[in-house]
Amino acid sequence: MLFFYEFLQSGIPIAISRVNQVDAARLDVEMSAMLKEQLVKVFSLMKPGLLFQYEPELDAFLEFLIWRFSIWVDKPTPGNALMNLRYRDERATEMRVKVRTGLEGPGLTLAQKIWYCVATVGGQYIWARLQSFSAFRRWGDSEQRSVARRAWFLIQRVEGFYKAGSFINLLIFLYTGRYRNLIERALQARLVYGSPHMNRAVSFEYMNRQLVWNEFSVNVKWKLLLVQEMLLLLLPLLNSSSIKSFLRPFSKDKSSTSAEDETLCPICQSYPTIPFVALPCQHRYCYYCLQTRCSAAPSFRCSRCSEPVIAMQRYSGSTNNASQKQ
């Protein structure tokens, strides 16, 4: 009998999915980003850069709205609601006679709610403003006075301790499945299932499909970018005229040497405004097309017959007054 009462006192050990808790935090971040995007669109016609100056205030305002309409009124955040999670006060040690699922327990107290808002909203805002102000004032420069440098080193030290504590808390969370971050651990606010008979709103099949397609799209995107970079690197090294001359014997179209085609410039495929001919093959080109190719490649070959071009002259029905390539 004594063992039974001790069992009720400690509660039924329950295991909350770590994936659900991490997904809930990620969904809350996505919700805040969506609200921020819509709010930025509202002020898109205002002075450019205005919202950038007040970005910490904007983030704090959105976080406060989410807190005000979720945790403050004993409701789960959007991410927790999708994952069927809610906050429970682990410090409550009152005796519960009826224990069915182990999920019973009171929500957060008024003090826990206020401290949660102070830590998540006020703490992040003050820290973001302090970092931007110290970077703008260049407290870390050696030319600054000792007080500013000490404050800068203190900020860096505090940030380092916080990151180390967050990493240790992450390892503990992965082992025990309790308290995703330091704020939840300090407030003893644990995430438990809101209803034992309710599944998460986002199924594992849907999330797996999303992860697979996201990974596939990222891989395809990077492969296309790699191919594009390779083409941009190799194309300048290739000579189009030499490729055409190499593929000419395999072509089935023999009409390119007809009299009608020879009146067109073989480079731009239009009638030359200022016609010039390549020597010694006498094929007709636009002046700018021929001059550009000859200047770019001293060993330029005719695009029609692949014969080396050693000179060019204005087309006048004769081959006199030839001018050498520059």
Side-chain angles (χ1 to χ4, degrees), residues 23 97 109 147 261:
D23 289 343
V97 178
T109 62
V147 177
D261 292 338

Side-chain angles (χ1 to χ4, degrees), residues 258-324:
S258 62
E260 182 179 358
D261 292 338
E262 289 184 355
T263 60
L264 300 177
C265 174
I267 297 177
C268 64
Q269 296 298 320
S270 62
Y271 292 100
T273 305
I274 306 177
F276 266 68
V277 293
L279 298 179
C281 63
Q282 298 289 326
H283 286 126
R284 198 178 311 176
Y285 289 84
C286 294
Y287 168 74
Y288 295 105
C289 295
L290 184 59
Q291 181 65 32
T292 302
R293 293 301 177 91
C294 291
S295 300
S299 59
F300 173 69
R301 293 176 176 269
C302 179
S303 301
R304 295 190 184 278
C305 61
S306 300
E307 187 174 351
V309 178
I310 61 175
M312 53 182 290
Q313 74 172 17
R314 189 180 182 89
Y315 176 76
S316 59
S318 63
T319 58
N320 298 328
N321 302 325
S323 59
Q324 297 297 324

Side-chain angles (χ1 to χ4, degrees), residues 3 8 21 36 38 52 62 78 85 91 106 111 116 163 197 203 213 218 237 256 293 311 319:
F3 172 77
L8 292 179
Q21 300 182 60
K36 183 178 180 180
Q38 297 301 322
F52 179 75
L62 295 177
L85 297 173
R91 300 179 302 175
Y116 187 92
K163 290 182 178 180
H197 305 293
S203 63
W213 278 108
V218 170
L237 303 178
S256 59
R293 293 301 177 91
T319 58

